[in-house]
Amino acid sequence: MNVEPSGVILVDVCHVQTESCVAKKTAPVTAVWTAPGRTQVNVCRPCLEEKIRAGEWEIEGARIKQRVD
């Protein structure tokens, strides 16, 4: 699914909440728009990167380094 960053950072709860989430309670998150329908999803950075690495979300032109374990 394509997502488009809004450029807006706000203090809220992450809507995604993966295991690596840092915003299960209020913390800085970014608003992204999902396509189709431009639904707003507030997501913390670790969850955003995890969704992109997993191939569930795609941001045109974005590069996310693969996690080194």
Side-chain angles (χ1 to χ4, degrees):
M1 170 186 331
N2 286 332
V3 297
E4 178 184 336
S6 69
V8 175
I9 305 289
L10 53 128
V11 176
D12 200 0
V13 175
C14 179
H15 295 163
V16 177
Q17 297 197 9
T18 64
E19 287 185 25
S20 58
C21 185
V22 295
K24 291 184 179 181
K25 296 186 179 183
T26 55
V29 295
T30 188
V32 299
W33 300 104
T34 62
R38 292 189 56 83
T39 303
Q40 179 178 326
V41 177
N42 297 336
V43 61
C44 68
R45 183 180 181 128
C47 289
L48 176 63
E49 290 178 357
E50 191 168 323
K51 294 289 261 184
I52 293 170
R53 275 191 206 99
E56 296 175 36
W57 285 2
E58 184 178 321
I59 298 175
E60 188 175 325
R63 292 186 190 174
I64 301 292
K65 292 182 180 180
Q66 291 301 318
R67 195 174 284 178
V68 179
D69 293 2

